[in-house]
């Protein structure tokens, strides 16, 4: 579909209360297995946009920031005439969800931030994603990295191309540090119920980072998931779905 002249790839699964699921730097593949579980567990309609530029999707030259992505999705929800939307975002998708909450869109009912990057927290730096090899990225991202380790030598050329394009567009949106120094203070303006969910073994952004994020948002809840890293939707999907369902209800 086209939103304000921006071509947008959108997956739409299930029926019921609307959920906007925002993927992180791994692209839509990093949330795809979680979508049917979330739709079933919540009795929900789960909408999953591909951030322009990821997984081969077109990105207009003028779309370069997380805030602009958030504004795009606010217009998407308005175009679809949705309300009381539960926005769930992982990693950079959580950063987009934070900015979406700050826009004050009347379509947004609540927000779930899952191991979200975006803020700067003294003493708790976000890992230097762009300097990591695939084995290092797996080690920092998962409680059990062997289950999810990618062998780059086993990927076909098109797989390498997708990974390279994802990393390149992530740098455009998030910058090298994947943080915005103004965001933590601005979060006091969030007015919708917010849940911050964190994997206790996340070493991309550690649990102390997650607790600081929750503390910056008025009334936010914080929940720690055991034996889980940076991508709970892949490593502990049942646990995450239960937590989201309790909050959404």
């Amino acid at each position: 579909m086209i939103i304000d002249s921006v071509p947008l790839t959108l997956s739409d699964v299930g029926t019921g209360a609307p959920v906007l699921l925002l993927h992180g730097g791994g692209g839509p593949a990093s949330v795809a297995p979680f979508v049917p579980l979330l739709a079933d567990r919540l009795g929900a309609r789960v909408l999953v946009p591909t951030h322009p530029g990821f997984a081969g999707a077109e990105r207009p030259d003028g779309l370069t920031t997380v805030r602009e992505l958030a504004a795009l999705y606010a217009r998407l929800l308005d175009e679809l005439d949705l309300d009381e939307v539960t926005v769930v975002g992982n990693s950079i998708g959580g950063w987009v969800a934070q900015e979406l909450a700050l826009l004050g869109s009347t379509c947004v009912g609540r927000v779930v931030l899952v191991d979200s990057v975006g803020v700067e927290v003294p003493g708790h730096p976000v890992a230097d994603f762009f300097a990591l090899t695939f084995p290092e990225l797996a080690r920092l991202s998962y409680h059990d990295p062997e289950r999810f380790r990618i062998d780059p030598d086993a990927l076909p050329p098109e797989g390498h191309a997708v990974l390279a394009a994802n990393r390149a567009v992530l740098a455009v949106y998030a910058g090298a540090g994947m943080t915005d120094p103004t965001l933590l203070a601005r979060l006091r303006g969030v007015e919708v119920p917010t849940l911050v969910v964190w994997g206790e073994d996340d070493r991309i952004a550690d649990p102390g980072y997650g607790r600081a994020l929750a503390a910056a948002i008025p009334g936010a809840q914080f929940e720690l998931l055991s034996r889980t890293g940076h991508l709970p939707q892949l490593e502990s999907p049942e646990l995450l779905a239960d937590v989201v369902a309790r909050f959404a209800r």
Side-chain angles (χ1 to χ4, degrees), residues 96-197:
V96 178
Q98 293 171 60
E99 293 286 6
L100 184 51
L102 285 168
L103 287 173
S105 168
T106 57
C107 300
V108 176
R110 63 199 59 80
V111 171
V112 182
L113 306 176
V114 183
D115 295 82
S116 172
V117 297
V119 298
E120 284 189 358
V121 178
H124 298 274
V126 177
D128 185 357
F129 174 87
F130 298 102
L132 297 173
T133 65
F134 283 114
E136 290 169 338
L137 183 59
R139 180 176 59 81
L140 298 181
S141 296
Y142 298 103
H143 166 77
D144 183 4
E146 289 303 321
R147 288 176 53 204
F148 301 95
R149 193 178 303 277
I150 295 174
D151 178 4
D153 294 332
L155 292 175
E158 57 270 22
H160 281 281
V162 168
L163 290 175
N166 285 354
R167 288 172 76 95
V169 76
L170 179 62
V172 170
Y173 287 130
M178 295 203 294
T179 59
D180 174 349
T182 74
L183 181 56
L184 193 69
R186 289 191 289 115
L187 289 175
R188 70 172 68 97
V190 173
E191 297 181 349
V192 294
T194 302
L195 171 66
V196 179
V197 184

Side-chain angles (χ1 to χ4, degrees), residues 20 51 77 85 91 104 108 117-118 133 145 160 172 176 221 228 244:
L20 181 69
H51 305 326
L77 298 181
V85 177
S91 195
V108 176
V117 297
T133 65
H160 281 281
V172 170
Q221 303 174 39
T228 305
V244 175

